């Protein structure tokens, strides 16, 4: 009888029971730490004045292109996953354009991959809801996508020699969008509409594009 009790209370048996109790505590502590870090990052981002950065970005766009960038709905931080959300975004059209805005979007969501930032690369995952892109040319054939002083000369802009960050659109999704093209010479407009268009990574360095749309009412698909 004493031998049986000794076996029950052997050091290996006691150690096994203690180890079995420790691992749930370790996992629970790790989970709490991760949640706390996640919440802390979200709270920190929430206190940033993102509208200030929007104004700075708009000034840079104005300087580089001569066009106004507007985020009428302001900026907010989304949770799960953490992302920046811009509401009612627009980019002004050329001064000679037939409508005020060249591009509008009801909502733009952006996520940045954190690790590539350490090497100076910006990898974005962007989701755009209800984009409306209006491309057009004037009577001379100059497109409204030609920006700055080059638009006055009818020539493309000369690339700047200033060192800039590498921006990689690694993953993009457009929902319920429309793209129109108007010829300034003929006055005719062509219209492409789509429920969803996707650009996503494939393989080691490739990109995959999937679009189901209609062009002037005719269904088309691209893969």
């Amino acid at each position: 009888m004493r031998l049986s009790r000794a076996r029950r209370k052997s050091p290996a048996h006691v150690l096994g029971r203690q180890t079995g109790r420790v691992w749930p505590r370790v996992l629970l502590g790790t989970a709490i730490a991760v949640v706390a870090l996640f919440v802390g990052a979200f709270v920190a981002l929430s206190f940033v004045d993102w509208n200030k950065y929007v104004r700075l970005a708009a000034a840079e766009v104005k300087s580089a292109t001569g066009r106004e960038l507007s985020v009428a709905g302001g900026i907010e931080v989304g949770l799960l996953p953490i992302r920046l959300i811009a509401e009612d975004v627009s980019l002004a059209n050329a001064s000679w354009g037939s409508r005020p805005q060249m591009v509008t979007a009801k909502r733009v969501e952006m996520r940045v991959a954190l690790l590539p930032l350490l090497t100076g690369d910006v990898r974005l995952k962007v989701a755009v809801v209800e984009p409306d892109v209006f491309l057009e040319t004037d009577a001379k054939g100059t497109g409204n996508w030609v920006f700055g002083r080059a638009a006055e000369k009818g020539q493309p802009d000369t690339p700047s020699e200033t060192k800039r960050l590498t921006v990689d659109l690694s993953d993009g999704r457009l929902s319920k969008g429309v793209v129109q093209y108007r010829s300034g010479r003929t006055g005719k407009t062509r219209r492409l509409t789509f429920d969803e268009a996707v650009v996503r990574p494939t393989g080691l360095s490739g990109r995959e594009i999937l679009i189901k749309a209609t062009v002037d009412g005719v269904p088309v698909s691209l893969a």
Side-chain angles (χ1 to χ4, degrees), residues 102-219:
M102 175 181 172
V103 181
T104 65
K106 181 178 180 180
R107 182 185 181 96
V108 178
E109 298 184 9
M110 293 176 288
R111 279 188 279 169
V112 181
L114 299 180
L115 291 180
L117 288 176
L118 299 177
T119 60
D121 292 335
V122 180
R123 295 187 182 179
L124 298 178
K125 184 173 183 178
V126 180
V128 183
V129 178
E130 295 186 18
D132 184 348
V133 181
F134 190 76
L135 305 176
E136 63 179 328
T137 60
D138 61 14
K140 297 180 181 180
T142 302
N144 63 343
W145 55 88
V146 180
F147 299 110
R149 295 179 180 178
E152 301 174 0
K153 301 176 182 179
Q155 300 175 354
D157 282 328
T158 302
S160 172
E161 296 181 357
T162 304
K163 183 178 180 181
R164 298 182 180 181
L165 291 175
T166 300
V167 179
D168 178 15
L169 179 59
S170 60
D171 197 336
R173 185 178 300 272
L174 309 177
S175 303
K176 297 182 179 179
V178 56
V179 179
Q180 298 181 79
Y181 172 76
R182 177 184 177 276
S183 171
R185 293 175 175 172
T186 65
K188 294 182 178 180
T189 300
R190 305 202 67 179
R191 180 184 180 92
L192 180 149
T193 61
F194 57 88
D195 288 330
E196 190 171 56
V198 178
V199 179
R200 60 192 179 195
T202 179
L204 296 177
S205 59
R207 290 289 183 273
E208 182 180 32
I209 301 176
L210 302 174
I211 300 176
K212 290 185 177 180
T214 61
V215 178
D216 297 334
V218 179

Side-chain angles (χ1 to χ4, degrees), residues 1 3 8 11 13 54 69 80 107 119 158 165 167 197 206 208:
M1 196 69 179
L3 181 59
R8 292 178 185 174
H13 180 71
V54 169
L69 174 66
L80 296 176
R107 182 185 181 96
T119 60
T158 302
L165 291 175
V167 179
E208 182 180 32

